[in-house]
Amino acid sequence: MPKFPAKRVLIAGAGALGQQIAIALPFGTEVSMVRRTATASTAAANIRWIQADLLAPAGFAAEIGTPDVVIFSASPNSRTISDYRGVYIDALAQLLHTFPSARFLLCSSTAVYPTTAWNSADQLPELFDEQSKAQPDDFNGHILLEAEN
């Protein structure tokens, strides 16, 4: 495993994916996990749980200090345009503004790729990579692609 230079990591969106990312981080990494609902428990001493609104990071920024890396793995409350924009555009913009010196990693989705031509799972392409053309079919893919950009 390559050396991980970050000492402080903020995981914005501490659901199942965010928790797995935290577990995979090297020993000694100071991790702050932010989620909108009640915090989960963990035996790891290096993980700090924070229940907060990602649209208002100033409320928890002083508590965690300046992270080296922000891993954005948040998800919306519901599958609506306003919830998707609130999380992937507005909350991400707030975090970028609050932590301008941090490196950001956005956990996106295959929703940025077209799916209307596929009739069943056996027609799905085997691999998406950096060469795959993003052409979302639905609003959620469009918003995620906007966030990526």
Side-chain angles (χ1 to χ4, degrees):
M1 177 176 201
K3 182 175 165 108
F4 191 73
K7 296 293 180 203
R8 289 177 142 179
V9 174
L10 167 62
I11 299 178
L17 177 60
Q19 290 177 48
Q20 289 302 308
I21 293 168
I23 291 168
L25 291 172
F27 180 77
T29 305
E30 184 180 311
V31 181
S32 295
M33 306 277 287
V34 178
R35 61 188 285 158
R36 69 179 153 264
T37 58
T39 58
S41 62
T42 181
N46 65 319
I47 296 177
R48 175 186 309 158
W49 288 92
I50 300 166
Q51 183 176 352
D53 183 354
L54 292 177
L55 285 166
F60 60 83
E63 181 180 345
I64 66 167
T66 303
D68 301 308
V69 174
V70 175
I71 300 173
F72 192 86
S73 62
S75 61
N77 281 328
S78 67
R79 190 175 160 79
T80 64
I81 292 172
S82 61
D83 277 357
Y84 265 76
R85 287 200 72 75
V87 169
Y88 293 109
I89 304 301
D90 302 336
L92 181 58
Q94 288 294 321
L95 288 167
L96 285 163
H97 177 75
T98 303
F99 305 111
S101 64
R103 296 165 83 193
F104 275 73
L105 174 74
L106 171 66
C107 299
S108 189
S109 167
T110 56
V112 300
Y113 299 110
T115 59
T116 54
W118 307 327
N119 295 324
S120 65
D122 63 327
Q123 293 178 327
L124 294 174
E126 290 184 27
L127 178 67
F128 288 115
D129 63 18
E130 295 80 16
Q131 304 306 313
S132 301
K133 184 166 174 72
Q135 293 179 301
D137 300 321
D138 205 352
F139 78 89
N140 62 322
H142 285 282
I143 292 170
L144 281 160
L145 186 57
E146 183 180 343
E148 287 181 14
N149 290 325

